[in-house]
């Protein structure tokens, strides 16, 4: 019994060390991505400054040419470059997109601890104002609330918040699936969960010699942008 308990503790310590190492790798990867995002934003700002200077120069030119026409063209070119740069930045964070005839179609990819999970699509119209045309976001994700907050004022923030919600949801769902798959022999009955997977309830048994101890677990994820529980209740 003592040696078996020690072996269990050693296995748990090894697993914890592996998880810590994987977490450090994820943090390093995230740091590199953030640095790349800052670099692209700086490049975008420099391009915008060049376009502004060009517009001022065209506005001062005289002669037979109409200064309004090249100025409008310069603005359009800058908008296209900015949009492409934005799509490049989003691609580094799991969000990709392509221009359509009426707007932009985004693909939001989700993952948990380096494991690719699902992709969701968002088709936006840009005229006369930015609005959602079609999407594959689950109905229980607060898409309408997020859009009301950020879509018209900050589309980058809108996509970032929506991506956080989707990644957290798929991460919670993945953990629940892994729990049922790998510990089905210890879980009693069926793991209970709601659609958002932010409330998980299950029971399991722990045996020691001739005694069996039934445990009941309740995991609550009050932060919908988090894939780890904020409250854990275990009763025996």
């Amino acid at each position: 019994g003592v040696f078996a308990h020690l072996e269990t503790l050693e296995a748990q310590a090894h697993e914890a060390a592996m998880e810590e190492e994987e977490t450090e790798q994820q943090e390093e990867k995230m740091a590199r991505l953030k640095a790349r995002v800052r670099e692209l934003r700086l490049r975008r700002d420099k391009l915008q400054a060049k376009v502004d200077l060009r517009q001022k120069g065209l506005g001062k030119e005289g002669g037979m040419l109409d200064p309004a026409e090249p100025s409008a063209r310069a603005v359009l070119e800058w908008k296209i470059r900015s949009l492409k740069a934005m799509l490049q930045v989003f691609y580094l964070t799991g969000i990709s997109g392509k221009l359509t005839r009426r707007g932009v179609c985004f693909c939001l990819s989700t993952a948990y601890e380096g494991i690719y999970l699902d992709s969701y699509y968002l088709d936006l119209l840009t005229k006369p104002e930015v609005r959602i045309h079609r999407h594959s976001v689950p109905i229980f994700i607060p898409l309408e609330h997020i859009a009301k907050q950020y879509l018209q004022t900050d589309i980058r923030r809108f996509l970032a918040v929506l991506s956080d919600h989707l990644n957290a949801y798929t991460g919670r769902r993945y953990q629940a699936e892994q729990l049922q798959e790998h510990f089905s022999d210890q879980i009693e009955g069926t793991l209970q969960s709601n659609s958002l997977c932010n409330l998980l309830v299950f029971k399991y048994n722990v045996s020691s010699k001739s005694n069996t101890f039934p445990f009941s677990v309740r995991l609550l994820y009050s932060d919908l942008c988090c894939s780890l529980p904020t409250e854990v209740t275990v009763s025996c």
Side-chain angles (χ1 to χ4, degrees):
V2 174
F3 288 107
H5 185 62
L6 289 175
E7 290 178 356
T8 301
L9 292 176
E10 289 178 357
Q12 291 176 350
H14 177 71
E15 184 179 353
M18 294 293 292
E19 292 179 354
E20 183 177 357
E21 182 180 355
E22 188 172 355
T23 300
E24 291 178 355
Q25 293 176 354
Q26 292 294 325
E27 290 176 351
E28 292 177 0
K29 181 179 179 181
M30 184 60 67
R32 291 195 299 269
L33 291 176
K34 289 182 178 179
R36 179 60 175 164
V37 168
R38 288 193 296 268
E39 179 185 346
L40 290 173
R41 285 177 177 171
L42 181 60
R43 188 182 303 175
R44 178 204 61 192
D45 294 340
K46 289 181 178 179
L47 289 173
Q48 182 176 354
K50 289 181 180 180
V51 171
D52 293 340
L53 289 174
R54 182 181 176 186
Q55 283 183 305
K56 292 180 181 179
L58 291 172
K60 294 178 181 179
E61 290 180 358
M64 299 298 294
L65 296 176
D66 183 4
E69 183 178 352
S71 178
R73 187 183 301 116
V75 172
L76 180 59
E77 291 175 355
W78 171 78
K79 287 183 176 180
I80 293 175
R81 286 196 299 269
S82 297
L83 187 55
K84 288 182 178 179
M86 181 184 69
L87 295 179
Q88 176 71 14
V89 171
F90 284 143
Y91 178 76
L92 297 174
T93 57
I95 305 175
S96 59
K98 63 178 181 179
L99 300 176
T100 64
R101 290 186 301 173
R102 304 175 62 186
V104 185
C105 182
F106 288 99
C107 174
L108 293 86
S109 300
T110 61
Y112 180 74
E113 293 187 345
I115 300 175
Y116 171 78
L117 297 176
D118 294 326
S119 292
Y120 301 92
Y121 296 89
L122 190 69
D123 192 2
L124 299 181
L125 303 179
T126 56
K127 295 180 180 179
E129 63 179 9
V130 181
R131 60 188 178 91
I132 300 173
H133 179 48
R134 292 175 299 183
H135 68 85
S136 62
V137 177
I139 190 172
F140 41 79
I141 298 295
L143 175 61
E144 184 177 348
H145 175 71
I146 300 172
K148 185 177 181 180
Q149 281 188 301
Y150 305 110
L151 185 58
Q152 300 301 326
T153 57
D154 191 346
I155 191 171
R156 291 179 176 83
R157 180 64 176 164
F158 164 72
L159 290 172
V161 173
L162 179 58
S163 178
D164 288 343
H165 275 267
L166 291 172
N167 271 285
Y169 157 67
T170 54
R172 296 191 299 265
R173 187 191 63 191
Y174 174 76
Q175 292 177 76
E177 293 172 351
Q178 292 295 299
L179 182 63
Q180 288 182 301
E181 179 179 348
H182 295 291
F183 300 96
S184 59
D185 57 334
Q186 299 180 28
I187 296 177
E188 179 183 342
T190 305
L191 185 146
Q192 300 178 12
S193 171
N194 59 353
S195 57
L196 264 174
C197 290
N198 67 324
L199 178 61
L200 303 179
V201 178
F202 59 94
K203 297 180 179 180
Y204 68 96
N205 295 321
V206 175
S207 299
S208 175
K209 295 182 179 179
S210 60
N211 297 324
T212 299
F213 302 94
F215 285 86
S216 177
V217 181
R218 181 179 183 271
L219 304 180
L220 176 64
Y221 304 75
S222 58
D223 184 359
L224 296 182
C225 291
C226 184
S227 58
L228 296 178
T230 55
E231 181 182 332
V232 178
T233 304
V234 181
S235 57
C236 178

